[in-house]
Amino acid sequence: MKPLVNFFQILKSPSLIIKISSLLFISLLFFFLGYHFSHSSPQLTFFASTTNPSQSPSISLSPNLNKSFDVLSLITSPPLIDPPTHPALRVPPHPSPVLFPPPPPSPPPEMEKFGVLDENGTMRDDFEIGEFDPEIVENWGNGSESGTDEVRSGGIRVRVRKYRLCGENMREYIPCMDNEDAILRMRSTEKGERWERHCPEKGRELDCLVPAPRKYKNPIPWPRSRDEVWYDNVPHTRLVDDKGGQNWITKDKNKFKFPGGGTQFIHGADQYLNQISEMIPAIAFGRHTRVVLDVGCGVASFGAYLFSRNVITLSVAPKDVHENQIQFALERGVPAMVAAFATRRLPFPSQAFDLIHCSRCRVNWTRDDGVLLVEVNRLLRAGGYFSWAAQPVYKHEEVLEEQWSEMVNLTSRLCWELVSKKGYIAIWQKPLNNGCYLNRGAGIQPPLCDRDDDPDQVWYTNLKPCIARLPDDGFGANVPTWPARLNTPPDRLQSIQIDAYISRKELFKAETKYWDEIIESYVRALRWKKFRLRNVLDMRAGFGGFAAALFDQKLDCWVLNVVPVSGPNTLPVIYDRGLIGVMHDWCEPFDTYPRTYDLLHAAGLFSIEQKRCNASSIMLEMDRMLRPGGHVYIRDSILIIEELYEIAKALGWRVTLRDTSEGPHASFRILACDKQLLRG
């Protein structure tokens, strides 16, 4: 008990009570001072030491800068888990006041997925592609820029100088058709030579971006475009003035309207097509007759109305006094290109078309002993039909009757049979083989061509006054009906000059399967069915597998298949499949108006042509042909894709570089581009 008594005596000491009271007062004072300064001055500075002698100590601001905290609530709250700290914010391990971390940050928003492949390297279903609004106009100006930038490979990439905009007078410029200097130097134009290709000389090629009309609008989509287009996109009224009374075209406020008529079918194309079907039931549009050539097409109403009958029609006309007829056709969404029957073969293969149509097409078929109709004979499939609607068919004036007699005489020498003549339409049929030609009398003109003549040699080839021989084995004549012919390996595969280490039919099937899988993935992953695709150009078509896959995926578009002159001529196979195509040299401009295609597709083109052609010139031509809001898909080697990427940016395109389905380590990449509407 004695220690307890001593303890109480100590507590009764007044000096001890004073000491304890002072200690409590000082503690409370420091507490309130700390509380005050923690609220009035939240900026804390930390000096972080470093273990690396080569680095100087760093100074950083507290992450609590300009933030307030309720200290009492922090004291009474449960312990928090320390988040990982940045090295610059680490505090030396000597005693220091306890720092309470800020509240944990809110989770970041879910990232948009722009890759085609998932983390496992397979195509995923939730891929999204951003929408492009063609109404967004970029102020391009005519400045230029250059510089260098690092590329992934570790080399140096030169940034391409930004292309300037051309003058307003070039908004409908076709380089090889508008070369006035070359046309003025010509010795003769009496046979239509001026309407053929005359490309600019080296050093005078197109070097600027062809501008759109000032009030250019997003084109009206198909099928509405069959019947109307915006006036501001093709602001020309010459055809309205010349042909308005023939039911070709009318102008209604800010639109052109197409009633569906023509010079020889003013009551409409549908009625006209019904008449042809009644005259020759064997024509069977959409089954036996799938591919048609319309010569001197006007505004292409004939071809526009054949679409509903499962027939694809290529409309051709020169850039003459009615110079905008092809432009109207393409704006409507109908296959067309600038071409003329003059002195050279047209860039199509032999036996290409099931039907060739001429309605007041302004072609003198009997001139020069019928050399132009001999060219029609080359283009016409064995057993195919030639339909002629013109005044000599039905009028009985002396001059017109003489023209009819000349036509009957020429067609009989070509062994054509006049199978029907009714009203203002006459229809002939080409023979199935060479039997009639071989049985003609001696000296009958035109003669058969020599056996070594290649009827599919068409690039800058002059017309020949001889009849192209039909293959002795019947190749080209025996094609299945549509749509079976699309995916049936044709007989003319065997005549294509390619190095085939396996069966040509196997090559054909492999290409078909290859593009089927790719287009299916584009439709699924890139949402191609949401694109406004109508006019499509495949710049290196092969056997036409890309176009066939678009048809199989039920995309409401047509494809003009281009076969480059630098590769094997596969055009006969393309036409035997029921598709259309043309031969072309991509070192030169293409024969179409500006702003006429919604999608340009090039697979392996630049790798093949880089030794012959300038890549910048090809892509500048692509820009000329592409509509604002249109798309470009280039599938090519990684060795050239970086250069194409820079050129595309210099053209003002929106550019994305993607991996193929083979993954990031494949030797090919996809350059996906969108064209913007540029203003100066």
Side-chain angles (χ1 to χ4, degrees):
M1 290 296 291
K2 188 176 180 178
L4 185 61
V5 173
N6 292 337
F7 176 73
F8 282 107
Q9 288 177 349
I10 294 172
L11 290 178
K12 290 179 181 180
S13 173
S15 60
L16 180 62
I17 294 174
I18 293 172
K19 291 179 181 178
I20 293 174
S21 300
S22 300
L23 179 62
L24 290 174
F25 175 77
I26 293 172
S27 299
L28 290 174
L29 178 63
F30 277 104
F31 174 79
F32 283 107
L33 286 175
Y35 180 83
H36 171 74
F37 284 109
S38 67
H39 278 68
S40 62
S41 182
Q43 176 173 327
L44 301 178
T45 305
F46 295 91
F47 295 82
S49 62
T50 176
T51 57
N52 189 347
S54 64
Q55 297 179 354
S56 59
S58 61
I59 301 176
S60 61
L61 295 180
S62 168
N64 300 337
L65 175 61
N66 294 326
K67 295 182 181 179
S68 299
F69 302 97
D70 186 349
V71 176
L72 293 177
S73 63
L74 290 174
I75 294 173
T76 58
S77 62
L80 298 176
I81 299 174
D82 290 338
T85 58
H86 191 278
L89 300 179
R90 291 175 184 161
V91 181
H94 57 75
S96 61
V98 177
L99 296 177
F100 294 97
S106 58
E110 184 177 354
M111 295 183 62
E112 290 185 84
K113 299 176 181 179
F114 288 97
V116 180
L117 304 177
D118 61 16
E119 59 275 8
N120 297 321
T122 58
M123 187 76 74
R124 64 171 175 238
D125 295 328
D126 59 347
F127 172 75
E128 293 292 340
I129 184 169
E131 284 287 324
F132 171 67
D133 182 7
E135 297 298 330
I136 297 176
V137 180
E138 178 170 339
N139 185 11
W140 188 244
N142 272 328
S144 62
E145 61 181 17
S146 60
T148 60
D149 197 5
E150 293 185 2
V151 294
R152 297 182 190 85
S153 61
I156 295 296
R157 155 177 83 200
V158 177
R159 187 172 298 152
V160 180
R161 188 178 299 274
K162 188 174 79 172
Y163 289 96
R164 63 182 178 88
L165 286 173
C166 306
E168 289 291 326
N169 62 327
M170 295 181 66
R171 67 187 185 188
E172 288 161 7
Y173 178 63
I174 306 178
C176 296
M177 297 293 164
D178 294 328
N179 189 356
E180 295 295 334
D181 292 341
I183 293 173
L184 290 174
R185 293 196 300 267
M186 296 179 64
R187 297 180 180 178
S188 173
T189 59
E190 62 180 9
K191 295 182 180 180
E193 292 92 340
R194 67 161 295 139
W195 313 123
E196 296 180 313
R197 291 173 58 84
H198 306 283
C199 298
E201 299 172 356
K202 188 173 182 179
R204 304 188 65 179
E205 302 95 338
L206 182 68
D207 61 354
C208 54
L209 305 175
V210 175
R214 279 288 168 187
K215 297 181 180 179
Y216 184 85
K217 295 180 176 64
N218 197 26
I220 295 173
W222 181 268
R224 281 177 49 212
S225 62
R226 188 194 72 171
D227 302 323
E228 61 181 19
V229 300
W230 297 115
Y231 165 80
D232 291 325
N233 290 8
V234 193
H236 301 283
T237 58
R238 171 70 183 268
L239 281 177
V240 176
D241 299 335
D242 292 351
K243 302 295 183 180
Q246 298 174 2
N247 223 18
W248 278 32
I249 181 174
T250 61
K251 186 177 182 296
D252 182 10
K253 297 180 181 179
N254 62 343
K255 293 179 181 178
F256 286 114
K257 300 291 185 70
F258 304 94
T263 304
Q264 289 295 154
F265 46 95
I266 60 175
H267 299 297
D270 261 335
Q271 180 179 333
Y272 181 66
L273 292 169
N274 289 338
Q275 183 178 349
I276 293 175
S277 296
E278 292 169 2
M279 292 173 63
I280 310 292
I283 283 181
F285 287 124
R287 284 181 50 78
H288 293 292
T289 298
R290 162 63 184 174
V291 186
V292 172
L293 179 69
D294 187 17
V295 182
C297 60
V299 292
S301 289
F302 181 79
Y305 280 82
L306 274 172
F307 267 117
S308 62
R309 304 180 187 227
N310 288 324
V311 174
I312 186 166
T313 304
L314 181 57
S315 302
V316 297
K319 192 179 182 184
D320 56 10
V321 292
H322 299 145
E323 62 177 22
N324 298 101
Q325 51 192 326
I326 294 298
Q327 191 175 16
F328 276 117
L330 289 161
E331 186 70 18
R332 295 177 74 182
V334 180
M337 66 178 294
V338 180
F341 280 86
T343 66
R344 299 180 189 141
R345 285 178 171 176
L346 270 66
F348 315 121
S350 64
Q351 298 197 78
F353 301 98
D354 307 316
L355 169 71
I356 296 179
H357 171 257
C358 162
S359 175
R360 294 287 287 273
C361 58
R362 303 175 67 199
V363 176
N364 182 4
W365 295 116
T366 59
R367 77 159 171 88
D368 296 335
D369 203 21
V371 69
L372 299 182
L373 204 63
V374 169
E375 173 66 358
V376 169
N377 183 79
R378 183 187 71 85
L379 297 172
L380 198 59
R381 191 175 299 280
Y385 298 92
F386 176 71
S387 175
W388 191 41
Q391 290 182 336
V393 176
Y394 64 96
K395 285 194 172 182
H396 300 289
E397 300 172 12
E398 182 177 352
V399 174
L400 296 176
E401 286 183 340
E402 182 179 348
Q403 292 177 5
W404 172 252
S405 297
E406 291 175 353
M407 190 70 168
V408 169
N409 177 271
L410 175 59
T411 53
S412 64
R413 287 186 279 125
L414 292 175
C415 291
W416 289 6
E417 179 186 358
L418 180 60
V419 290
S420 184
K421 179 175 179 288
K422 184 177 181 180
Y424 49 85
I425 305 174
I427 301 177
W428 287 267
Q429 185 176 23
K430 179 180 176 177
L432 287 167
N433 52 53
N434 295 319
C436 175
Y437 304 135
L438 298 173
N439 292 328
R440 293 182 306 166
I444 297 294
Q445 297 294 322
L448 272 176
C449 294
D450 296 335
R451 288 190 175 276
D452 60 356
D453 175 70
D454 183 0
D456 298 323
Q457 183 63 43
V458 296
W459 190 244
Y460 286 116
T461 301
N462 291 331
L463 293 176
K464 298 186 177 182
C466 60
I467 300 172
R469 291 176 180 266
L470 293 171
D472 295 333
D473 47 23
F475 286 0
N478 304 318
V479 294
T481 57
W482 180 262
R485 65 191 280 187
L486 179 64
N487 291 313
T488 302
D491 293 334
R492 286 202 283 180
L493 264 175
Q494 308 307 319
S495 63
I496 305 301
Q497 297 181 3
I498 55 176
D499 294 328
Y501 296 100
I502 61 174
S503 167
R504 292 167 186 254
K505 289 186 177 181
E506 293 303 316
L507 285 175
F508 177 91
K509 292 177 180 177
E511 189 201 84
T512 300
K513 182 180 179 182
Y514 174 79
W515 284 114
D516 275 343
E517 293 176 352
I518 289 178
I519 298 303
E520 190 276 332
S521 69
Y522 285 175
V523 169
R524 175 172 53 86
L526 303 182
R527 307 293 194 264
W528 268 29
K529 286 191 175 180
K530 292 185 178 180
F531 288 176
R532 300 177 67 171
L533 296 184
R534 179 59 188 172
N535 305 356
V536 179
L537 188 74
D538 189 2
M539 300 177 67
R540 183 171 175 258
F543 293 136
F546 176 81
L550 291 180
F551 179 85
D552 288 337
Q553 288 293 323
K554 296 180 172 53
L555 291 167
D556 196 8
C557 63
W558 56 268
V559 181
L560 184 61
N561 297 277
V562 180
V563 173
V565 298
S566 57
N569 184 1
T570 56
L571 278 175
V573 173
I574 289 171
Y575 276 92
D576 287 355
R577 299 185 75 170
L579 306 171
I580 57 173
V582 62
M583 180 165 283
H584 184 66
D585 185 348
W586 284 115
C587 296
E588 299 181 6
F590 194 72
D591 292 336
T592 191
Y593 279 85
R595 303 172 302 279
T596 49
Y597 285 93
D598 302 300
L599 172 65
L600 303 179
H601 178 256
L605 174 72
F606 290 91
S607 295
I608 297 296
E609 302 290 15
Q610 63 180 334
K611 294 182 179 179
R612 301 178 55 250
C613 314
N614 185 295
S616 297
S617 297
I618 297 177
M619 293 189 70
L620 197 61
E621 176 66 3
M622 292 169 71
D623 181 84
R624 187 186 70 86
M625 297 187 291
L626 191 64
R627 287 172 168 172
H631 312 279
V632 174
Y633 272 71
I634 300 173
R635 209 177 164 90
D636 222 310
S637 167
I638 58 175
L639 300 177
I640 196 173
I641 208 75
E642 289 285 354
E643 178 185 353
L644 303 181
Y645 181 92
E646 291 299 326
I647 297 172
K649 290 198 299 183
L651 294 170
W653 295 353
R654 294 186 177 185
V655 188
T656 305
L657 194 58
R658 307 183 187 280
D659 294 327
T660 65
S661 58
E662 288 83 5
H665 302 295
S667 59
F668 281 76
R669 295 285 187 275
I670 299 172
L671 188 66
C673 312
D674 297 321
K675 179 178 176 179
Q676 301 181 90
L677 182 57
L678 305 180
R679 295 298 189 201

